[in-house]
């Protein structure tokens, strides 16, 4: 017998003898302490049973009459309960932990089962281990058709290399950024999905991939609708710019001709005054031309973003007295949608500076960073509290929202760095290699 | 003395290990008056044991008050208050955690008592003392 158990059994036997000798509560307490020590030594309930059994055998061996024996048995039962109580405390702890675990598992299950995003796990060899119910709703497949199978056939063939790279990255312990994949539905069409994947860890080892996928069909539709709307707006602006430039320009030209006629018929003294009118008209014509070019600069189409922005900056500078510098270069020509978006964004940013910032200087700077074009628009004006202002979006002020939406449509991002009294910087990045045409060709 | 009604509130001052035994005994007798089954009596005795033990070990001396209670709805039970003017417990959340002990012991006492009893309340002010109140209702 384990020497610890032997020692505990001897102590327990003494407690039992003590109880039979009338020590009462002190003997019960002693039995309780034996239970505590048994637990403290890391022994289990079965060891406790051995201890009790031994102690009882000793007491029975010393009993001479049947009455003594039945007293010993009753005492044994009382002490048995006492010495088990420390184990009861430990047992209730385990029960509590288990209940908490079950509850948390239940909540997790609930979350997964009712989630509107697809939640799935992959084994390290790329097989689908789990899929939540919404997978069926979105794709039309039954889960049993895919569980245990490789995920690859679910992915649009062109997207497969990216999917495989992401799985490899996760298995190597990285946390890749969000990415998009097109997923085969039961009807044969492809559904655009946005994916977030993280390692699934079991006992410190990466055993697979935990992924969350969102159906972004609606978002892509909305983005597309917005793109159309912006295109329509551009057309309208073009029309107004032409009207300003051509029709108003024509009218002014006719006025010049009429004035020349009148000048011939008037005495020289009055024609001096007419000369003044003519020079004012020239100024108006110049302003109209400039405005129409800013509205829809043909330079943007003909020469590209940088000259167009310099032209814009020049015009704003002349009108408002702001000093505006343009540094760096956007590089080679970008897709028209991106160029237009950037032009409109800088235009709105400059409008905001003139209206809200009371700044002296604005610096516009471009830089290329791999597949990203970064553009910073920084003023030295009043600044503003960004979270508060963005929280009341929609109530008034469409400018910043418009900037954000234009960027969404071309896959770009906006970061506003501003604080009251510290000036404002808009940091914009747009992806410059992917043409916007191939990112929304899904669900054919 | 079996069957004789004892007062429905008892105070036992706790100063040594032998006081633990008498607190247990008085608690058991008081609880027996509500008709608790014997295993439940052992549970009450255990709670008293653990609270009194903490008093002896950490606060040196203190008092245990035992009381019969009812909830005005016919339910009866027993209340145990263990109070001391000892050093108090600086972080109760920690002290209530399983396995936490400042004396290298099992850290079983306080969380164990909480689970054995139906109600558990602990108030402690660092430097001023500790009061633990627990209740067990007869089912
Ligand atoms: N450069 C800036 N300096 C200081 N405050 C700014 C600047 N840009 C924006 N803001 C603040 O952010 C708010 C929101 O700007 P936003 O362009 O969205 O709306 P708006 O300019 O007020 O109205 P809208 O652009 O629709 O005519 C502004 O009202 C202003 O308080
Ligand atoms: N009356 C008290 N006064 C001061 N500190 C106390 C008191 N009771 C408990 N504590 C503190 O709370 C801790 C946890 O108490 P608990 O009874 O759970 O465990 P323990 O006494 O350390 O170990 P065990 O009860 O298993 O022997 C103790 O280590 C002690 O620091
Ligand atoms: Mg604005
Ligand atoms: Mg203790």
């Amino acid at each position: 017998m384990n020497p610890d158990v032997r020692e505990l059994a001897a102590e327990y036997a003494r407690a039992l003898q003590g109880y039979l000798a009338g020590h009462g509560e002190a003997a019960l307490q002693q039995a309780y302490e034996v239970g505590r020590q048994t637990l403290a030594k890391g022994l289990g309930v079965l060891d406790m049973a051995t201890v009790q059994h031994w102690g009882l055998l000793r007491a029975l061996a010393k009993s001479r009459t049947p009455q003594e024996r039945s007293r010993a048995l009753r005492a044994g039962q009382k002490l048995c309960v006492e010495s088990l109580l420390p184990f009861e405390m430990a047992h209730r702890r385990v029960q509590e932990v288990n209940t908490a675990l079950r509850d948390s598992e239940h909540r997790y299950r609930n979350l997964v089962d009712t989630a509107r995003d697809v939640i799935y796990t992959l084994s390290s060899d790329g097989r689908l281990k789990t899929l939540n119910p919404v997978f069926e709703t979105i794709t039309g497949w039954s889960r049993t058709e895919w569980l245990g199978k490789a995920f690859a056939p679910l992915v649009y063939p062109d997207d497969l290399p990216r999917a495989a790279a992401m799985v490899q990255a996760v298995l190597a312990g990285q946390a890749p950024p969000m990415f998009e994949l097109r997923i085969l539905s039961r009807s044969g069409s492809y559904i655009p999905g946005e994916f977030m994947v993280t390692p699934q860890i079991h006992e410190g080892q990466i055993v697979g991939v935990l992924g969350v996928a969102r159906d972004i069909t609606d978002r892509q539709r909305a983005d597309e609708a917005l793109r159309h709307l912006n295109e329509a707006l551009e057309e309208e602006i073009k029309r107004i710019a032409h009207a300003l430039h051509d029709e108003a320009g024509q009218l002014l030209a006719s006025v010049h001709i009429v004035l020349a006629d009148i000048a011939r018929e008037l005495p020289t003294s009055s024609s001096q005054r007419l000369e003044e009118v003519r020079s004012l008209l020239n100024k108006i014509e110049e302003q109209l031309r400039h405005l129409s070019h800013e509205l829809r600069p043909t330079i943007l189409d003909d020469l590209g973003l940088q000259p167009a922005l310099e032209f814009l900056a020049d015009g704003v500078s002349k009108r408002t007295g702001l000093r505006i510098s343009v540094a760096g270069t956007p590089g080679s020509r970008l897709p028209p949608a991106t160029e237009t978006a950037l032009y409109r964004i800088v235009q709105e940013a400059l409008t905001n500076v003139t209206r809200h910032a009371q700044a002296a200087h604005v610096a516009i700077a471009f830089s290329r960073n791999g597949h990203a074009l970064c553009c910073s628009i920084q003023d030295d004006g009043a600044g503003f509290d960004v979270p508060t202002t963005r929280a009341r979006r929609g109530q008034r002020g469409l400018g910043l929202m418009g900037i954000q939406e234009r960027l969404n449509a071309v896959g770009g991002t906006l970061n506003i760095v501003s604080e009251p009294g510290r000036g404002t910087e808009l940091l914009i990045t747009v992806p410059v290699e992917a043409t916007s045409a191939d990112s929304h060709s899904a669900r054919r | 003395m079996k069957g004789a009604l004892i007062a429905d509130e008892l105070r036992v001052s706790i100063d040594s290990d032998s006081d633990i035994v008498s607190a247990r005994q008085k608690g058991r007798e008081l609880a027996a008056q509500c008709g608790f089954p014997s295993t439940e009596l052992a549970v009450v005795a255990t709670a008293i044991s653990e609270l009194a033990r903490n008093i002896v070990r950490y606060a040196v001396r203190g008092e245990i008050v035992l009381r019969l209670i009812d909830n005005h709805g016919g339910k009866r039970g027993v209340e145990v208050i263990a109070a001391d003017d000892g050093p108090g417990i600086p972080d109760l959340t920690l002290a209530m955690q399983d396995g936490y002990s400042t004396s290298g012991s099992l850290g079983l006492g306080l969380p164990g008592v909480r689970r054995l009893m139906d109600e558990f309340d602990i108030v402690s002010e660092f430097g001023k003392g500790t009061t633990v109140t627990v209740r067990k209702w007869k089912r």
Side-chain angles (χ1 to χ4, degrees), chain A residues 36, chain B residues 53-54 58 84 89 95 100-102 105-111:
Chain A
R36 236 179 177 285
Chain B
R53 212 169 193 275
N54 281 354
Y58 305 109
D84 65 62
I89 300 175
Y100 175 83
S101 172
T102 53
S105 188
L106 289 181
L108 187 69
L110 289 179

Side-chain angles (χ1 to χ4, degrees), chain A residues 220-281:
Chain A
Q220 286 198 345
R221 283 209 187 110
D223 281 354
E224 203 157 344
L226 198 68
R227 232 181 337 256
H228 282 144
L229 211 63
N230 273 335
E231 276 161 21
L233 257 175
E234 286 301 324
E235 281 308 310
E236 191 63 5
I237 290 171
K238 228 181 230 171
R239 204 184 57 73
I240 294 169
H242 281 141
L244 264 182
H245 184 268
D246 301 347
E247 288 160 32
Q250 291 290 319
L251 282 174
L252 278 174
S254 327
V255 174
H256 272 297
I257 294 168
V258 176
L259 277 182
D261 283 349
I262 296 173
R264 269 195 298 278
E265 288 163 19
L266 285 179
T268 1
S269 60
S270 316
S271 72
Q272 198 67 41
R273 304 283 306 279
L274 266 186
E275 210 35 58
E276 280 167 34
V277 173
R278 210 179 285 163
S279 116
L280 281 174
L281 275 178

Side-chain angles (χ1 to χ4, degrees), chain A residues 142-268:
Chain A
S142 136
R143 282 179 285 170
T144 49
E145 285 173 286
W146 287 99
L147 286 171
K149 308 232 169 72
F151 77 89
L154 270 175
V155 179
Y156 185 64
D158 288 357
D159 295 350
L160 206 47
R162 177 170 19 176
M166 293 301 171
V167 170
Q168 284 319 310
V170 168
L171 291 176
Q174 295 156 20
M178 261 195 221
F179 58 98
E180 292 181 15
L181 296 176
R182 284 159 286 185
I183 296 300
L184 180 66
S185 72
R186 183 135 206 250
S187 68
S189 66
Y190 283 91
I191 303 163
E194 181 180 76
F195 285 73
M196 191 73 208
V197 288
T198 52
Q200 202 190 18
I201 292 169
H202 182 67
E203 289 174 356
Q205 299 273 32
I206 298 179
V207 295
V209 176
L210 171 65
V212 180
R214 174 166 297 181
D215 179 356
I216 55 169
T217 310
D218 289 346
R219 194 208 300 167
Q220 286 198 345
R221 283 209 187 110
D223 281 354
E224 203 157 344
L226 198 68
R227 232 181 337 256
H228 282 144
L229 211 63
N230 273 335
E231 276 161 21
L233 257 175
E234 286 301 324
E235 281 308 310
E236 191 63 5
I237 290 171
K238 228 181 230 171
R239 204 184 57 73
I240 294 169
H242 281 141
L244 264 182
H245 184 268
D246 301 347
E247 288 160 32
Q250 291 290 319
L251 282 174
L252 278 174
S254 327
V255 174
H256 272 297
I257 294 168
V258 176
L259 277 182
D261 283 349
I262 296 173
R264 269 195 298 278
E265 288 163 19
L266 285 179
T268 1

Side-chain angles (χ1 to χ4, degrees), chain A residues 287-307:
Chain A
Q287 287 254 350
L288 274 181
R289 261 169 43 82
H290 217 288
L291 271 177
S292 69
H293 280 281
E294 267 179 40
L295 265 179
R296 176 66 214 186
T298 44
I299 312 181
L300 184 57
D301 300 329
D302 300 342
L303 299 178
L305 190 56
Q306 191 162 20

Side-chain angles (χ1 to χ4, degrees), chain B residues 34 85 136:
Chain B
C34 308
D85 304 328
K136 184 96 195 159

Side-chain angles (χ1 to χ4, degrees), chain A residues 375-392:
Chain A
C375 171
S376 146
I377 303 145
Q378 186 167 24
D379 69 59
D380 59 358
F384 65 107
D385 185 51
V386 183
T388 328
T389 306
R390 295 199 108 176
R392 51 155 223 250

